[in-house]
Amino acid sequence: MRIHSSDHSWLLLAILVIILSFSVALSSSDKAKEKEKKTTSVDKKKEVTYDGTSLIINGNRELLYSGSIHYPRSTPEMWPNIIKRAKQGGLNTIQTYVFWNVHEPEQGKFNFSGRSDLVKFIRLIEKNGMYVTLRLGPFIQAEWTHGGLPYWLREVPGIFFRTDNEPFKEHTERYVKVILDMMKKEKLFASQGGPIILGQIENEYSAVQRAYKEDGLKYIKWASKLVHSMDLGIPWVVCKQNDAPDPMINACNGRHCGDTFPGPNKDNKPSLWTENWTTQFRVFGDPPTQRSGGTNFGRTSAHYVTTRYYDDAPLDEYGLEKEPKYGHLKHLHNALNLCKKALLWGQPRVERPSNETEIRYYEQPGTKVCAAFLANNNTESAENIKFKGKEYVIPPRSISILPDCKTVVYNTAEIVSHHTARNYMKSKKANKNFDFKVFTETVPSKIKGDSYVPVELYGLTKDETDYGWYTTSFKIDDSDLSKNKGGKPTLRIASLGHALHVWLNGEYLGNGHGSHEEKSFVFQKPVSLKEGENHLSMLGVLTGFPDSGSYMEHRYTGPRSVSILGLSSGPLDLTEQNKWGNKVGMEGERLGIHAEEGLEKVKWQKLSGKEPGLTWYQTYFDAPESQSAAAIRMNGMGKGLIWVNGEGVGRYWMSFLPPLGQPTQIEYHIPRSFLKPKKNLLVIFEEEANVKPELIDFVIVNRDTVCSFIGENYTPSVRHWTRKNDQVQAITDDVQLTAKLKCSGTKKISAVEFASFGNPNGTCGNFTLGTCNAPVSKQVVEKYCLGKAQCAIPVNKSTFQQDKKDSCPKVAKKLAVQVKCGRDKKN
């Protein structure tokens, strides 16, 4: 189906409903004091306050267009381009979580270097003239391992997370003061002339507050008082917290805040929307998706969450613009800017012409300042709306924006921005002469230990590895075997998650795993036992720590019940009747063989093609050609971890197939900063046997397939309009609908791969002709576009029906175009 952005645009428009449905009227004296400023540039020493309408920065009301960029999910080398593109997309604010377990992985030892350099990240935002919202935590969720809480907190005596618990509050206060004192020392708060205009303490706390009863209310009041008492000169929010203690602002998270958010809990607070998801994150076992918005490098993702994070974001994990979503949002931001004065100073009014339609408009009495939003809630057909003496046709489930209450400049369902398809081009340079060498881990048969139950896996690994060994031995009498007429005995292992590999007497029996929705699973298999002592070995496997819910410090995983069924003497419970030995991690991890300095610590063998599970693979490769983004495709592999030059690329899981049979994620981003021009070390730890590393390849990532798909009756792009002297005016005398195509960087349109003016079908990268088509379509597009970095094609009958004949006059025409971008050979 065609990629369509009407859903998220609809929801973004609902921000206006939230902001202004609960606004309070301003007196004329207030207005005189707070004249609107035309620029949103970051000035020195800004006072940030608020009232029931908006945030007020240096006495000027602001509409904030904010996007999330999580600094650890990209590299410092990528930050400038991502921030720049965010600003070009119409944003004036960047919000980010602060990741406690990134900054304090060991108690008392802080890290603010590399991808953890929070100050550098905020400085770059400031350099781009943008504001910052700092979402401090301590808990962030964010599909990040342990919700951002460091593992060592679990081992603090008497601790309970996120409640009125003295140990948790003590460590939280210390962490919060470290971060905020750093921001203050660097003069990053708006009150000091910096870009931070808003802070957030805690995250979606109402989701767990009831579990803690009165202690939950005490905790959120304590957390709010903590940050407010530091007197940093900025307002603070708590999201999804309808009973936010004063002066905290309760904000909304989610896709449907326009329908579900009851509004601020005090009239003097503005309505704010901290998260409006443009899509849903992916977990292993989900159907594959093409695009994402960040990378969970190394072992940083929450349980079962893919390495590629937050699919379908406007900027993908490579920092490339995902069109048409990016452009459609950019146009929305432009349209809202044309409405800014009416939104911030007008009086809100609502009309409901029918059950399916709604008009929300904002007028400043005695002036021409007016902006309207005409909504059609009918999901199947267009609706006519009459407003101020004029009739408007509104497409199904969409909103039209009229920044002067007369002129439609944007409709959420009519996408006039161009589309792109992401391409993975096999690298010619990087895929030469792989010479894989291998090292296989030894499966322990008997580890010394005195535990009478299998140790809980989170506590065993302490977030230092994904792997924990369990071994036990048990005796079988000949009578248990000879009298068993019903066939082989059965080994049954009940696990709380996440995955498990099993060996009996040195023979590999198989593996099992849970899922994001159901972590627990049962491994059960008939086994051949021998008389006398038998040895059972299990490898518990994590896919990250949990990131949500109450009492996270008491969340457990790993094997919990082990028994042998089908013996003549009855079931044999190994869980509590045997001693268990444990070992943390792989030997290769302990020796550091994922990096160059550790390679010589083990003896590597030549690749045979029939390697068992738990095998390390290493080879060298040259960096892919060009400076485009790079990735590795893990075809032929099963499940494990990837490193390049010692840097953790992330977890892969090719063998966990959703119903359609394709892995959730195939390509894994390798940032260019991880790479050298030549001789890059690739190390893979593979859990499964008989994989085919020779099928792995390196790819270059681009968006050189550019498309447009526009109906002849669509509203022309909002870029044709500006506001001057309180009036919306056309920038040019001839405002017409055009299909605009643009290549990235220095590339130019090298080929027109598809063009049809009629009723074409499909999506970018997969268009097909319909029953109606203007024969000269491709010729016309080539005339306008070939050899150019960008082009604009008029979308009308006169452009494509040069003989003035229309073979299908009753068909509403659409123009579908697909072009290829490339560099001239001399470039």
Side-chain angles (χ1 to χ4, degrees), residues 282-581:
R282 292 283 179 169
V283 297
F284 286 114
D286 280 347
T289 187
Q290 245 196 350
R291 304 174 175 91
S292 59
T295 307
N296 293 315
F297 296 114
R299 300 172 39 259
T300 57
S301 62
H303 52 192
Y304 295 97
V305 173
T306 57
T307 298
R308 172 180 291 160
Y309 177 66
Y310 218 83
D311 302 321
D312 237 8
L315 292 177
D316 68 17
E317 69 174 320
Y318 306 100
L320 303 176
E321 296 163 11
K322 189 272 181 188
E323 297 285 10
K325 186 171 287 186
Y326 175 89
H328 200 44
L329 284 170
K330 179 178 181 178
H331 292 165
L332 171 63
H333 301 145
N334 290 343
L336 295 180
N337 275 333
L338 293 175
C339 304
K340 182 177 177 179
K341 193 165 187 178
L343 292 171
L344 294 176
W345 300 103
Q347 295 181 355
R349 294 181 171 87
V350 181
E351 295 179 9
R352 293 181 174 84
S354 70
N355 291 335
E356 300 285 2
T357 58
E358 183 178 3
I359 302 168
R360 290 184 181 262
Y361 62 105
Y362 308 87
E363 283 186 306
Q364 191 174 9
T367 72
K368 295 181 180 180
V369 175
C370 183
F373 301 84
L374 312 185
N376 175 13
N377 295 316
N378 189 323
T379 60
E380 296 181 353
S381 60
E383 295 280 348
N384 292 341
I385 297 180
K386 193 170 184 178
F387 177 62
K388 290 187 177 291
K390 189 175 179 181
E391 195 163 279
Y392 300 86
V393 179
I394 313 299
R397 198 172 189 264
S398 72
I399 299 174
S400 287
I401 301 180
L402 292 66
D404 57 359
C405 287
K406 296 183 293 185
T407 309
V408 176
V409 301
Y410 181 91
N411 178 270
T412 59
E414 295 178 347
I415 302 173
V416 296
S417 55
H418 70 228
H419 301 229
T420 58
R422 192 163 68 188
N423 304 310
Y424 294 96
M425 312 298 293
K426 188 169 181 177
S427 169
K428 296 178 181 177
K429 187 176 178 182
N431 293 301
K432 293 180 179 178
N433 303 321
F434 290 152
D435 182 21
F436 278 104
K437 294 181 173 60
V438 299
F439 166 73
T440 300
E441 295 276 343
T442 300
V443 177
S445 62
K446 195 171 184 178
I447 301 170
K448 187 177 181 180
D450 55 6
S451 171
Y452 282 92
V453 293
V455 176
E456 192 278 320
L457 190 54
Y458 291 138
L460 177 63
T461 61
K462 302 184 187 303
D463 200 24
E464 295 174 355
T465 175
D466 283 350
Y467 304 105
W469 285 103
Y470 301 82
T471 68
T472 192
S473 299
F474 57 96
K475 290 185 177 181
I476 294 293
D477 293 334
D478 179 61
S479 60
D480 279 325
L481 301 175
S482 61
K483 294 180 181 179
N484 183 16
K485 305 295 185 180
K488 289 184 176 182
T490 297
L491 172 66
R492 187 181 190 276
I493 304 169
S495 175
L496 297 178
H498 302 154
L500 184 73
H501 296 271
V502 184
W503 294 259
L504 181 63
N505 296 325
E507 178 186 354
Y508 183 62
L509 299 182
N511 62 73
H513 62 81
S515 67
H516 186 264
E517 290 69 30
E518 183 54 65
K519 282 79 178 172
S520 299
F521 64 94
V522 173
F523 175 89
Q524 191 163 299
K525 189 169 183 179
V527 293
S528 297
L529 300 173
K530 63 181 181 179
E531 182 183 356
E533 192 169 60
N534 291 262
H535 302 286
L536 176 66
S537 302
M538 303 185 299
L539 179 65
V541 183
L542 295 176
T543 60
F545 275 56
D547 68 332
S548 62
S550 57
Y551 297 102
M552 283 176 56
E553 74 288 338
H554 286 86
R555 206 76 58 81
Y556 303 124
T557 195
R560 304 305 293 164
S561 172
V562 184
S563 57
I564 305 291
L565 308 177
L567 297 174
S568 59
S569 58
L572 176 60
D573 183 1
L574 303 179
T575 310
E576 298 183 6
Q577 297 181 10
N578 282 48
K579 286 188 177 181
W580 289 86

Side-chain angles (χ1 to χ4, degrees), residues 331 334 409 416-417 716-722 731 738-740 792:
H331 292 165
N334 290 343
V409 301
V416 296
S417 55
S717 171
V718 66
R719 67 177 180 269
H720 292 296
W721 303 95
T722 188
I731 295 175
T738 59
K740 188 174 181 180

Side-chain angles (χ1 to χ4, degrees), residues 433-438 604-608 611 616-620 632 637 682-684 692-698:
N433 303 321
F434 290 152
D435 182 21
F436 278 104
K437 294 181 173 60
V438 299
W604 296 87
Q605 306 290 335
K606 288 186 177 181
L607 179 71
S608 70
E611 275 66 31
W616 295 80
Y617 297 80
Q618 61 108 330
T619 191
Y620 288 92
I632 182 172
M637 304 302 284
L682 170 67
V683 175
I684 300 165
K692 298 180 179 180
E694 66 273 14
L695 298 181
I696 289 172
D697 61 5
F698 295 92

Side-chain angles (χ1 to χ4, degrees), residues 100-124:
W100 188 356
N101 56 9
V102 165
H103 295 302
E104 194 182 8
E106 295 182 54
Q107 187 174 350
K109 296 181 180 179
F110 283 87
N111 173 31
F112 294 98
S113 61
R115 294 198 301 273
S116 306
D117 195 339
L118 177 60
V119 170
K120 180 177 181 178
F121 178 70
I122 293 176
R123 288 283 186 217
L124 286 169

Side-chain angles (χ1 to χ4, degrees), residues 85-102:
R85 286 183 168 176
K87 183 176 183 179
Q88 291 172 343
L91 301 186
N92 59 11
T93 306
I94 298 298
Q95 69 172 23
T96 186
Y97 287 119
V98 183
F99 298 71
W100 188 356
N101 56 9
V102 165

